[in-house]
Amino acid sequence: MKIYNVYGYLTILAYLLACLYFAPAHLGPWIGLLIGAAYFVFCWFLAGLYLADVLHMGIAHRALDYKEWFIKSVTVVNSTLGIYVDPIAWVNRHRLHHKNSDHDGDPNKLASDGFWRTLYRCMMPYECNENLAGDPILKSATFRIVASPTFAIVVQAGSFFLLWKLVGSLTFAVVLWAGMRIFALWVNMIQNYWTHTRDFGYRRYHDEEDNAMNIGEWLPVTATFSACLQNNHHHYPGLLRLSHAETEYDFGFLTVKVMKSLGLVKATQRGAELPEDVPLAALDF
């Protein structure tokens, strides 16, 4: 088993065991485990929808057109109840990451950065030297409010307080809160370290300008909503599908197809254009 999968499964196991052990007496260990699992799935899915589908493919790469009310609703709900991420700063960092991947100006990781430095940069990214996030939706009142540090502190404090009152135990609330953020850090490391270090994964396209790799196992693909198919994505960043072969599992694309069936999203011309060297018969969207 690859080391990144070992860390991922151990993180999930440790979280579930902590839910069992620290569950308050009035709930009992099994109800505590059930609540912990529900909170885990809620935060993971909401963050994936927000980051991988809405901010990433919808705004940063303009591969998908969403209903504006849906984009704003997901942004507010995740920022309030889930794992907070500044949407404007994230879009800017991601575009700079593609522009300068693994080189000076990439806020996520330089080619020389090892495991521990990348881990630090997941929490404290390099300073951005440009502003590439000038989209009209990012200038809307909703996004400007959500991106405010005051908003972030107030709503996250309120979210933790609500969680504490719902489970009836400060210790158990801390376990749930911290456990999800440790898992989120592992997800971030999949995208910033393991898929940008040539010792891991595989390469479909032998682009020399960056170190992007594909990691295709079930856990990282599901956890990242397919964002770990980095070699595919870096080669064609505007394509809405990150899997470039029928044999590649693509959880993120499945979620986008469900949203399309609900009338929430449609492909842009850029996102739907299938390049000739992508080994797919059709986009299947």
Side-chain angles (χ1 to χ4, degrees), residues 199-233:
D199 295 334
F200 305 96
Y202 65 95
R203 289 166 71 81
R204 178 181 304 281
Y205 307 103
H206 295 280
D207 303 321
E208 292 305 318
E209 63 268 20
D210 65 36
N211 294 323
M213 307 294 290
N214 290 329
I215 287 179
E217 291 95 341
W218 178 86
L219 179 62
V221 173
T222 304
T224 66
F225 275 51
S226 306
C228 58
L229 297 173
Q230 283 281 293
N231 179 248
N232 291 350
H233 177 53

Side-chain angles (χ1 to χ4, degrees), residues 118-129:
T118 308
L119 183 67
Y120 171 73
R121 290 302 175 187
C122 285
M123 298 175 283
M124 299 292 292
Y126 288 105
E127 185 176 351
C128 294
N129 54 19

Side-chain angles (χ1 to χ4, degrees), residues 148-200:
S148 163
T150 301
F151 175 89
I153 293 170
V154 170
V155 298
Q156 287 290 284
S159 173
F160 178 79
F161 182 77
L162 177 62
L163 181 65
W164 173 16
K165 292 306 175 183
L166 286 174
V167 300
S169 165
L170 177 60
T171 302
F172 191 50
V174 169
V175 167
L176 298 179
W177 184 270
M180 275 311 305
R181 280 146 185 82
I182 292 171
F183 179 74
L185 186 58
W186 172 79
V187 170
N188 212 342
M189 283 293 286
I190 286 285
Q191 295 170 222
N192 288 359
Y193 178 71
W194 283 298
T195 58
H196 279 272
T197 304
R198 294 198 186 187
D199 295 334
F200 305 96

Side-chain angles (χ1 to χ4, degrees), residues 250-272:
D250 192 340
F251 180 77
F253 188 57
L254 294 176
T255 63
V256 172
K257 290 176 72 173
V258 170
M259 286 189 286
K260 180 190 176 185
S261 71
L262 296 174
L264 298 172
V265 59
K266 62 181 180 180
T268 64
Q269 183 177 352
R270 181 177 189 233

